Amino acid sequence: MRIAKPLAAYLLLALCALAGAAAAPAPAGYALENTEVRDIRAQALRRDYQLYVALPDSYKDGARRYPVLFVADANYAFPVVRNIAQRLHKHAGMEEVIVVGLSYAKGDNGMHSRRRDYTPSVPRKQSYSPVMPGRPPEFGQAAAYGKFLTTEVLPLVARHYRADMRRKVFVGHSYGSLLGLEMLLGEPRSFDHYILGSPSLWFDAGVMFEREKAYAARHKDLPASVFFGIGGLERLAPGKQRSRSEEDADMVEDLREFDAVLRTHRYPNLKTQLRVFHEEDHASVFPSVLTHGLRSYLSSSK
């Protein structure tokens, strides 16, 4: 079969274009400057994770040590924290910091990993659907994951970086803040400052209120510095009645109540701040919580 000359020329040009496209290298990905990734095996958990590390611009100059931020939900939060911390240094004179992002477990999707690693208990009254094919939902390993942080992650960072381990900051949001509260009420000295945004205090029928009550019965002090932040829009819809459930939680009132209970014990070495960001919701509030949480702890030259 003969092909008309114009059509043949068109096909030839198309084939050349396809060949050129196949030969052209793929566009390079965007990489954040002064960052690196370290693999780490959680020995007791028998799972693999990664640490995303962002070093200050001045890290290569001299031998000074830097405060270090440990950030849960790193797949989202690491670039946000790294960039905001860098901007606060450059434009507001805040101290430079090392940022360590805590990845989800390798092979798990984010929701499955955070449900398991960040929650303090298995829900007693609520059921959840699987988020990974062939794997049932997992919950309640925050204490074990917190031990992995204190016994494996912190020593690794201390060995490999000029981190000031006397100024360790934990940064969490939502389930990540449940993890922070688990460590606060389990081993409060694990970190020197906690920045906890929109903690899911409704989880497991308010189990963290029970944990706080049990802690208070056994201790006379809670040596910690905590900044709580939440969006003012994280409230119940009009006409709904507040309860300790995911569907009927007033997260603002839950957090006000939790902070007030902590304050009633008059722990000598506990410092808490609570800030409600009135125009923000659960999805948008994290950058504001982070900014004000850092300012509440880190010094500034301006």
Side-chain angles (χ1 to χ4, degrees), residues 13-86:
L13 288 171
L15 289 171
C16 290
L18 288 172
Y30 177 78
L32 295 172
E33 292 180 328
N34 299 327
T35 62
E36 55 193 50
V37 178
R38 286 185 178 268
D39 294 318
I40 183 169
R41 175 75 174 174
Q43 297 297 333
L45 302 178
R46 294 186 293 180
R47 291 192 287 271
D48 294 306
Y49 295 86
Q50 290 182 316
L51 304 180
Y52 310 151
V53 182
L55 299 173
D57 290 340
S58 67
Y59 190 83
K60 60 184 177 295
D61 303 322
R64 61 178 288 201
R65 294 186 175 273
Y66 299 83
V68 55
L69 315 182
F70 293 86
V71 183
D73 287 307
N75 296 45
Y76 154 70
F78 173 73
V80 176
V81 174
R82 179 262 188 193
N83 290 340
I84 288 178
Q86 186 181 75

Side-chain angles (χ1 to χ4, degrees), residues 80-198:
V80 176
V81 174
R82 179 262 188 193
N83 290 340
I84 288 178
Q86 186 181 75
R87 187 170 181 83
L88 287 174
H89 168 69
K90 289 182 177 179
H91 300 288
M94 190 169 290
E95 288 181 271
E96 289 182 289
V97 297
I98 296 171
V99 180
V100 178
L102 307 169
S103 83
Y104 302 129
K106 287 186 175 182
D108 291 351
N109 72 27
M111 180 57 74
H112 185 92
S113 186
R114 70 198 302 267
R115 277 179 173 180
R116 177 194 58 229
D117 292 342
Y118 295 174
T119 59
S121 57
V122 177
R124 295 161 291 182
K125 298 182 179 180
Q126 193 157 356
S127 61
Y128 290 82
S129 299
V131 291
M132 292 188 69
R135 293 180 61 180
E138 295 183 77
F139 291 90
Q141 296 188 28
Y145 182 82
K147 187 174 182 180
F148 158 62
L149 295 185
T150 56
T151 62
E152 298 182 66
V153 173
L154 299 189
L156 183 149
V157 171
R159 284 195 308 271
H160 291 284
Y161 301 99
R162 296 198 313 274
D164 183 352
M165 301 305 282
R166 299 167 302 175
R167 292 196 292 166
K168 305 182 299 294
V169 180
F170 178 86
V171 181
H173 181 256
S174 194
Y175 272 13
S177 289
L178 281 185
L179 172 62
L181 288 174
E182 174 70 27
M183 290 186 291
L184 177 71
L185 297 175
E187 295 290 341
R189 295 186 188 274
S190 298
F191 295 91
D192 306 282
H193 185 57
Y194 295 81
I195 299 174
L196 304 180
S198 307

